[in-house]
Amino acid sequence: MLKKISNIGDCGITCDFGDEVNKKTNKEVIKLFNFIDESVKNKKIRGILNYTPSYNKLIINFDLEQVKSKELIEFIKSNDYSKTIFSEQSKILEIPICYDEEFALDIKRLEEKTKLNFNEIVKEHQNTDFFVYMIGFVPGQPFLGDLKNNLYHDRLDTPRVKINKGSVGIVEKFCTIYTFESPGGWNIIGKTPLDLFNIKNKESSLLSPGDSVKFKSVKKKDFLTFKNEELF
Amino acid sequence: MKNYFKILRPGINSTFQDTGRFGLQHLGIAPSGCMDKSLFFLANKLVGNEISEGALEFAYQGPLLELVGESALVAVSGKVNFNIINNNGEIKQGIPYESFILSSGESLDILSTIDSVYGYLSIFGGFKLEKTKGSISTLVRAKIGSNNGEKLRLDEKIFFNKSSQNSKINKFKFDFENDTTIRVMKGLQYDYFSKKSQGDFFSKEYEVTKLTDRMGMRLEGKKLENMKSKNIKSEGITKGSIQVPGDGQPIILLSDHPTIGGYPKIANVITADYDKLVQKTPGSKLKFKLTDLSVAESAFKDYIKKLNFF
């Protein structure tokens, strides 16, 4: 349920669905996202620049020359978006991952914090059936859940200035894959050779919210010789 | 394709930009677009283009470019030190905010921005650029947009549309905003910070550090103490959000911002003060002033009025 709408600066609002992060809440967010998408395409509301779903929030950015937050908030409150369809996609993608120590930058710290050894962490990660909650941070980057709570860990206090493309990181019950070299604060446990994003494709992102993901361990020599074309 | 600039020196961070790429943030694609909208608009107006035409944005040291082909009407906007080098090698100082004709064989040497970061080069008729998902803007980090998503590189050619029809020289007076106060509204997680830190944020100075680019501006100053949680559920980002990671030093997210972030946000810079903000060089000291939505909206009206005045 939509709990609260607040302003973010003068050209954004956030629609807050509460603190719970689970599939049920996330589907409500996607419903409102779909409703805004339809409203923009059918020209029922003007000036909308971006609408970005996350686990439990939808953030909407607009052009202050065309619309103000008051008008947009009234538009959302006066429409029943709950009937908008959430299309559950059943795509299951297997993602290769190499847990070699060269790539698993934070595994030592995780071993200390979680009291699990390397093999236990890897096994736990591979056995998880992940749900794609959202895409973002950088293009095509998926946010996956849910890990069991024995792997929970906070993000780094000071984010790294540079994390390599393909790095797989975990924070709390979530897992992500860095699709581009970027700064970031997640605990890195491995790396995938698979390209998840290509701007030239009609659907630029390989994954969409609602998809399922499983990780499959690959040896370092297979990682180094992996060819992306084979998968498309 | 005989009209082009040859890049004899690319500059530090020269990219093609327009007003941005929208409607794709849910796939992780940041809006990007010009950092300083006022100067971008101005550059286009100076040569008689549509104000949204793609222009070349440069930061600190700009490019050295030689014109090959027909002469063209060009303009530089910003506090910029630049020269025009003619066929005999004679050097003439360029004047920003004033369009001029550049002839074949002449070079434009954009030496540096002065006490500011960004400037723009425009050409009548526009550069020959292809839109990617609705915009020519370059997002270097994701290799999206003009010039194969790259900054300008040495020896490459950048083509422009035939422009000989227009030779009308325009001249504007533009006053740079030098004051160091940036107006903000409370961020979504403002209440996460201690009363003392909320006070510090609005009374102490914060210095712009060298770790600043089109994506974000890292500040250094009085540490901001988070009383609630250093991590939040990752949520969508808005340009101008001021996030505070665990080390207590604020980062302002700029045009190439990540689309989603997990650090608490203490405040958001209002749209009317964004251009002023992005022009602050490393070492500059900023002060934040708390304001509310109605003030921000009326400041935006004044900002647009000023832009339309040109």
Side-chain angles (χ1 to χ4, degrees):
Chain A
M1 277 291 289
L2 179 53
K3 297 250 162 60
K4 201 171 94 182
I5 304 181
S6 335
N7 291 299
I8 311 172
D10 51 23
C11 58
I13 58 164
T14 178
C15 304
D16 192 340
F17 289 77
D19 293 332
E20 295 288 312
V21 173
N22 50 43
K23 292 179 196 179
K24 191 167 164 272
T25 306
N26 191 242
K27 282 177 187 173
E28 288 296 309
V29 176
I30 302 293
K31 268 188 194 174
L32 181 57
F33 168 83
N34 288 343
F35 170 73
I36 298 293
D37 191 47
E38 277 172 23
S39 305
V40 168
K41 283 171 183 155
N42 298 331
K43 298 193 165 45
K44 286 186 177 146
I45 181 95
R46 66 210 146 85
I48 306 298
L49 298 178
N50 272 311
Y51 27 110
T52 314
S54 60
Y55 301 116
N56 57 340
K57 284 177 180 165
L58 181 73
I59 280 170
I60 305 174
N61 295 107
F62 48 89
D63 176 2
L64 203 41
E65 256 189 295
Q66 295 184 60
V67 66
K68 287 194 175 119
S69 72
K70 190 164 172 260
E71 194 185 327
L72 180 56
I73 291 168
E74 272 165 17
F75 175 77
I76 292 168
K77 283 184 174 168
S78 64
N79 278 281
D80 182 14
Y81 65 89
S82 62
K83 291 190 189 75
T84 312
I85 297 155
F86 174 81
S87 59
E88 183 135 15
Q89 298 174 44
S90 53
K91 193 163 72 184
I92 301 172
L93 201 87
E94 194 177 76
I95 295 183
I97 179 170
C98 179
Y99 297 101
D100 188 89
E101 59 179 15
E102 184 191 334
F103 307 132
L105 305 176
D106 294 307
I107 208 112
K108 290 243 153 59
R109 240 163 22 82
L110 277 173
E111 283 178 322
E112 275 169 36
K113 287 278 173 188
T114 61
K115 313 284 179 219
L116 297 174
N117 66 34
F118 175 83
N119 288 331
E120 288 165 331
I121 293 172
V122 164
K123 196 177 160 207
E124 194 66 67
H125 186 249
Q126 281 203 85
N127 285 344
T128 308
D129 291 309
F130 285 102
F131 171 78
V132 181
Y133 277 96
M134 60 183 181
I135 305 288
F137 187 60
V138 295
Q141 180 172 351
F143 288 78
L144 315 166
D146 300 337
L147 285 163
K148 277 202 214 136
N149 55 15
N150 58 356
L151 270 187
Y152 280 26
H153 194 45
D154 281 349
R155 69 183 63 230
L156 309 179
D157 272 354
T158 304
R160 285 193 173 91
V161 174
K162 186 183 134 185
I163 290 180
N164 289 331
K165 177 184 167 180
S167 296
V168 177
I170 60 174
V171 161
E172 295 165 8
K173 67 175 176 180
F174 306 110
C175 177
T176 196
I177 305 165
Y178 286 85
T179 45
F180 288 88
E181 181 186 302
S182 73
W186 291 51
N187 304 285
I188 306 300
I189 60 163
K191 196 171 179 182
T192 179
L194 179 65
D195 273 339
L196 295 178
F197 182 83
N198 188 342
I199 189 71
K200 290 183 182 114
N201 297 346
K202 189 165 175 282
E203 297 294 330
S204 309
S205 174
L206 192 60
L207 294 172
S208 317
D211 289 347
S212 298
V213 165
K214 263 221 126 138
F215 286 93
K216 186 173 181 272
S217 178
V218 293
K219 295 207 171 75
K220 198 172 174 186
K221 69 171 169 55
D222 297 325
F223 174 93
L224 294 170
T225 55
F226 184 88
K227 285 193 177 65
N228 267 290
E229 302 83 67
E230 289 168 9
L231 273 150
F232 292 103
Chain B
M1 298 281 256
K2 53 182 179 167
N3 300 315
Y4 62 89
F5 284 107
K6 190 174 177 205
I7 308 301
L8 303 176
R9 183 192 68 230
I12 289 172
N13 192 1
S14 311
T15 57
F16 290 106
Q17 299 292 341
D18 57 15
T19 51
R21 182 177 289 109
F22 298 103
L24 295 168
Q25 192 165 331
H26 63 286
L27 293 179
I29 300 175
S32 57
C34 57
M35 293 291 278
D36 187 327
K37 218 173 193 174
S38 312
L39 292 186
F40 168 80
F41 279 2
L42 211 53
N44 274 323
K45 284 198 171 182
L46 282 163
V47 294
N49 284 345
E50 291 284 320
I51 52 171
S52 57
E53 182 72 45
L56 184 65
E57 179 183 277
F58 48 87
Y60 308 106
Q61 186 203 46
L64 168 61
L65 340 91
E66 184 191 325
L67 187 128
V68 179
E70 291 173 55
S71 58
L73 184 73
V74 298
V76 171
S77 68
K79 261 169 104 175
V80 182
N81 178 14
F82 72 99
N83 290 329
I84 299 151
I85 306 166
N86 75 11
N87 290 317
N88 303 323
E90 287 164 15
I91 297 172
K92 199 178 103 192
Q93 174 136 33
I95 305 165
Y97 310 118
E98 193 175 317
S99 50
F100 56 95
I101 302 279
L102 199 68
S103 304
S104 187
E106 288 188 325
S107 296
L108 199 55
D109 188 2
I110 300 173
L111 296 162
S112 67
T113 49
I114 305 160
D115 299 328
S116 58
V117 182
Y118 296 101
Y120 295 85
L121 170 67
S122 60
I123 182 162
F124 172 70
F127 294 100
K128 256 196 199 327
L129 304 169
E130 252 178 60
K131 284 185 178 174
T132 303
K133 312 261 181 201
S135 165
I136 64 89
S137 286
T138 313
L139 183 58
V140 173
R141 198 161 31 94
K143 300 221 183 319
I144 292 174
S146 297
N147 209 33
N148 298 314
E150 302 276 4
K151 299 175 184 180
L152 281 195
R153 281 169 299 186
L154 186 67
D155 288 337
E156 70 182 338
K157 294 172 179 176
I158 55 175
F159 293 92
F160 54 89
N161 299 312
K162 196 172 172 234
S163 63
S164 49
Q165 308 92 318
N166 191 349
S167 56
K168 187 177 176 289
I169 305 295
N170 283 313
K171 201 172 173 177
F172 295 130
K173 194 180 172 310
F174 184 79
D175 294 319
F176 233 78
E177 285 193 72
N178 283 321
D179 86 281
T180 54
T181 304
I182 302 295
R183 288 170 292 180
V184 300
M185 287 167 60
K186 282 182 189 173
L188 284 180
Q189 290 83 28
Y190 180 75
D191 295 336
Y192 280 36
F193 298 90
S194 69
K195 284 273 172 286
K196 187 181 169 298
S197 285
Q198 291 173 357
D200 287 342
F201 185 69
F202 292 116
S203 58
K204 303 274 194 265
E205 283 184 330
Y206 283 86
E207 186 174 317
V208 178
T209 72
K210 281 182 185 158
L211 285 172
T212 294
D213 56 15
R214 284 184 44 90
M215 183 161 92
M217 180 184 269
R218 285 198 192 218
L219 304 176
E220 208 172 88
K222 187 80 179 160
K223 189 180 167 174
L224 299 169
E225 196 188 2
N226 186 320
M227 305 298 283
K228 200 169 164 189
S229 170
K230 287 175 182 172
N231 303 314
I232 56 165
K233 311 283 180 299
S234 287
E235 60 185 32
I237 296 278
T238 299
K239 183 172 102 170
S241 290
I242 307 179
Q243 64 175 25
V244 184
D247 64 5
Q249 299 296 337
I251 300 172
I252 312 182
L253 298 161
L254 305 178
S255 304
D256 287 354
H257 63 75
T259 59
I260 278 167
Y263 293 113
K265 291 165 232 29
I266 191 167
N268 292 86
V269 176
I270 69 168
T271 307
D273 285 358
Y274 186 79
D275 294 350
K276 177 166 77 176
L277 172 76
V278 300
Q279 292 290 1
K280 300 295 178 200
T281 53
S284 308
K285 294 195 166 60
L286 304 178
K287 260 197 163 179
F288 295 106
K289 187 183 170 193
L290 182 62
T291 190
D292 61 22
L293 183 62
S294 65
V295 172
E297 284 177 347
S298 79
F300 179 77
K301 248 188 204 165
D302 295 341
Y303 165 81
I304 289 295
K305 220 184 269 170
K306 192 178 150 196
L307 281 191
N308 290 337
F309 176 75
F310 293 107

